[in-house]
Amino acid sequence: MKLGNTNKFLTTVCLTTLLLGAVSCKDQLDVGNPNAPTVSANINTEIGLIDFAQGAVYINGFANGDGWLGDSYFSLPWGYSELMGDMVGADASNNQVTTIGQPDYIILDDGTKVTNPSPQIGIIRSYNSRAATGAGNNPLYYQWLNMYALNNACNQVLSLVDGIKFAGDAASRVNTVKAWAYWWKGYAYASIGSMYYAGLINDAAGTTNGNYVLHDAIINQSNTYFNKAATTLGSITSDTDYQTVLGELIPAANQVGHGGIPTVDMWKRNINTMLARNILVNKLAPFVNSNPNATITKSSTTAMTAADWNTVLTLTTNGIQSGDKVFTGRSTAANSFFSATGGTVASLTTGPNSGTTFKISERFIQNFNAGDKRLSNNFGTATTYKNNYIYTTRYNLIDGGNGAAGVYVYGSRTVGAYELYIAGSYEENTLMMAEANMRLNNIETGLKSVDAVRTYQGAGVAAVAGTSLTLAKALTELTRERRVSLFSRGLAFYDSRRWGWTYDIANGGGSYGNTVVTSAGAVNKNVTINYNFLDYWDVPADEAILNPTPSSVTTKNPNF
């Protein structure tokens, strides 16, 4: 099946809980008013529903945007995460990418304090308006738009599936489609609940409501659908029919490398990894200035407990294994849901730093241990890109790497070469397990997991297990490795938030011991950075104004 086949059905999926018709449908199937489509008249066969369910995810969820930088969900919304996690910088004016990751102030090695005249929280709120959205300047809009479009598309799939006649073992085929829709609904709710202070639970096709709930409730709904996916997978009795349908739902281009058709058990392990992520990224585990007992005094969430760490450990122990197939994406020459040159953070960072949209951050590079082959294989120092404040960098991301055998490659602009991890991965699962073990005082076990990830990506560095590290030093290795191995996977901001780095220093947060190069070329290696970012974003104005809340839950984060 070709991904392009899905386009003929997408008019019916353009209805979101945001502004009706927010994603242009004029060039797609004519079914009358695109804001009041009739789905059942067009989708009444197995192949039609499968095409629709594929496009619901890859086109509505990830490709159809609204004037964003790059050309997919993985270029701009994930770009914001990498910017706010200080993995990359930017100097373009598009979509507030220059301002979104700028800290309130920095203190250089000599004690000089450099202050940002336009703090992030003020910028975000001043541009959270419908007018700013129309001008492409409201960063809060894009993730909300696409994840609710994805959710509603899956609602449409679920509303149709029981009325379709399937071949083979019909029950197994129906349940495969249902598991697909449940999985992606879990994914959409996880994305909303992990980024926004409040959200909407909407599980009926083509409807909306104004009953906003807090982000914790959205995460609970995500967990509900991940668990429904697992339960539904457990009811499948024909592996042949399961493999056939899932092989048609996942585009062929995505079925290579670590992508492919997961077995039922592999998919269940993918679900466990996402359930663990939902816990980990939405609670605090402060590690500020090398202090594993740091406390954040003002936030929109709560701290991890021993019970939470034990749950994460249980889930990740049953999570993604090194040989499992996971949900990935690849660019293709035509009919792709993202391009090789503009569809991901990695592609927008790859190349000479003078001409890339995103620039490799010095704070990212400082996480590599000496002798790490991933550094030498992927990053060059041919030129220094100079900019004010924190965005000067001596590094660039080499297209396709330097060719070191068995070493992970961070970026490629060649069609089909770059593997995009859409959901969980072996590295993420193993590092969540490592962190849980460390926090439960199983430090040596946790360090072995860090070593396993470094071996998996071909780092070629000495093992840290068996070196008698303290908890603080073990967590240092853990935080460094998460930043190094999970680059461009949409997790950087969540990590910086939960470790306390994005919170105001006055409230116990901040980031210490950072490398910053000034525009004059001075290299500072012990810089204090006060990011002071919103921890959970306000609901975008396009939703909050057009769909005002009748509930007591505010759409604006009251903690900042």
Side-chain angles (χ1 to χ4, degrees):
M1 179 182 299
K2 295 181 180 179
L3 187 59
N5 291 348
T6 63
N7 288 338
K8 62 180 179 287
F9 294 118
L10 291 182
T11 299
T12 60
V13 200
C14 291
L15 183 64
T16 72
T17 59
L18 204 61
L19 176 63
L20 299 185
V23 183
S24 175
C25 301
K26 63 182 179 181
D27 295 327
Q28 298 162 10
L29 180 64
D30 181 10
V31 292
N33 180 359
N35 292 336
T38 302
V39 179
S40 58
N42 300 292
I43 303 171
N44 50 28
T45 65
E46 177 179 345
I47 190 62
L49 181 67
I50 290 173
D51 276 356
F52 180 82
Q54 187 192 70
V57 174
Y58 296 102
I59 302 301
N60 256 69
F62 302 140
N64 279 357
D66 191 12
W68 52 22
L69 187 70
D71 55 46
S72 88
Y73 178 79
F74 308 103
S75 56
L76 185 61
W78 278 21
Y80 288 139
S81 178
E82 300 300 306
L83 286 161
M84 292 189 295
D86 208 351
M87 306 285 268
V88 298
D91 61 5
S93 59
N94 312 57
N95 310 125
Q96 297 296 331
V97 295
T98 302
T99 59
I100 199 77
Q102 293 279 12
D104 275 15
Y105 67 79
I106 62 175
I107 300 175
L108 300 175
D109 289 4
D110 64 2
T112 301
K113 183 177 181 179
V114 185
T115 302
N116 177 8
S118 301
Q120 189 228 44
I121 295 176
I123 288 288
I124 280 180
R125 286 187 163 151
S126 65
Y127 283 97
N128 186 17
S129 67
R130 295 188 65 206
T133 298
N137 282 323
N138 185 356
L140 309 189
Y141 171 73
Y142 302 97
Q143 185 164 334
W144 184 279
L145 172 74
N146 276 72
M147 289 300 95
Y148 274 114
L150 172 59
N151 180 66
N152 187 59
C154 291
N155 288 342
Q156 297 276 17
V157 171
L158 292 168
S159 73
L160 294 168
V161 64
D162 287 326
I164 302 295
K165 182 178 180 180
F166 283 82
D169 184 332
S172 290
R173 292 188 176 220
V174 166
N175 283 327
T176 302
V177 174
K178 286 183 176 180
W180 175 262
Y182 293 150
W183 159 262
W184 291 113
K185 279 177 65 67
Y187 182 96
Y189 278 130
S191 298
I192 293 294
S194 297
M195 182 58 80
Y196 295 91
Y197 180 76
L200 298 165
I201 293 174
N202 185 3
D203 297 323
T207 66
T208 189
N209 64 73
N211 299 318
Y212 293 89
V213 295
L214 294 177
H215 56 89
D216 289 341
I218 300 295
I219 293 299
N220 286 339
Q221 195 71 351
S222 170
N223 294 338
T224 294
Y225 277 99
F226 280 140
N227 284 317
K228 287 186 76 169
T231 300
T232 304
L233 287 169
S235 67
I236 291 171
T237 56
S238 171
D239 186 65
T240 298
D241 288 282
Y242 164 80
Q243 294 278 338
T244 297
V245 172
L246 192 56
E248 293 173 339
L249 286 166
I250 299 173
N254 298 359
Q255 296 182 32
V256 296
H258 295 99
I261 305 173
T263 66
V264 167
D265 286 341
M266 287 179 184
W267 197 347
K268 288 180 179 179
R269 289 195 289 270
N270 275 259
I271 290 168
N272 286 334
T273 295
M274 295 300 286
L275 289 169
R277 179 198 288 185
N278 272 353
I279 297 170
L280 194 75
V281 305
N282 287 292
K283 294 199 174 186
L284 295 175
F287 183 58
V288 177
N289 202 15
S290 300
N291 179 9
N293 298 309
T295 300
I296 304 301
T297 59
K298 185 180 179 182
S299 76
S300 304
T301 187
T302 58
M304 291 283 288
T305 64
D308 291 327
W309 287 120
N310 275 298
T311 301
V312 169
L313 184 57
T314 298
L315 288 166
T316 54
T317 299
N318 296 283
I320 296 170
Q321 300 174 1
S322 60
D324 284 351
K325 297 299 182 183
V326 297
F327 291 85
T328 66
R330 300 266 182 170
S331 61
T332 58
N335 298 321
S336 181
F337 64 102
F338 70 95
S339 74
T341 57
T344 64
V345 174
S347 66
L348 292 174
T349 313
T350 298
N353 55 28
S354 59
T356 56
T357 300
F358 296 133
K359 323 290 182 181
I360 287 293
S361 168
E362 292 275 348
R363 269 72 60 205
F364 166 63
I365 294 294
Q366 75 181 60
N367 291 283
F368 286 93
N369 286 346
D372 195 319
K373 293 180 181 179
R374 293 172 295 183
L375 178 61
S376 57
N377 190 51
N378 288 281
F379 301 96
T381 56
T383 59
T384 295
Y385 166 78
K386 296 182 178 181
N387 202 339
N388 293 325
Y389 210 25
I390 64 169
Y391 283 165
T392 292
T393 181
R394 296 166 292 176
Y395 296 91
N396 63 278
L397 179 55
I398 298 168
D399 192 350
N402 280 324
V407 180
Y408 182 72
V409 174
Y410 282 85
S412 174
R413 292 168 67 87
T414 299
V415 172
Y418 178 73
E419 186 166 57
L420 167 71
Y421 289 87
I422 297 174
S425 65
Y426 165 74
E427 297 99 315
E428 181 190 1
N429 187 81
T430 304
L431 292 173
M432 288 193 291
M433 187 189 307
E435 191 168 358
N437 269 312
M438 289 177 187
R439 288 292 188 171
L440 292 170
N441 205 34
N442 305 318
I443 296 174
E444 196 65 17
T445 303
L447 289 171
K448 288 178 182 178
S449 292
V450 172
D451 288 337
V453 170
R454 289 172 174 169
T455 299
Y456 185 79
Q457 291 195 344
V461 295
V464 289
T467 57
S468 302
L469 297 186
T470 63
L471 175 60
K473 290 183 178 179
L475 287 172
T476 296
E477 294 294 333
L478 181 282
T479 56
R480 289 162 68 98
E481 187 55 34
R482 275 192 69 98
R483 287 174 66 78
V484 165
S485 62
L486 302 180
F487 173 80
S488 188
R489 300 194 190 182
L491 297 169
F493 169 63
Y494 301 147
D495 277 347
S496 292
R497 176 181 67 192
R498 67 188 184 84
W499 291 329
W501 301 352
T502 63
Y503 289 95
D504 195 339
I505 287 176
N507 295 320
S511 181
Y512 297 81
N514 294 285
T515 298
V516 171
V517 181
T518 68
S519 57
V523 179
N524 293 259
K525 293 188 176 182
N526 191 31
V527 175
T528 297
I529 300 179
N530 189 38
Y531 294 102
N532 192 22
F533 294 161
L534 270 180
D535 59 355
Y536 285 82
W537 282 356
D538 301 340
V539 173
D542 298 73
E543 185 75 68
I545 292 173
L546 294 174
N547 187 24
T549 177
S551 71
S552 59
V553 174
T554 178
T555 58
K556 181 178 179 179
N557 187 335
N559 299 305
F560 295 86

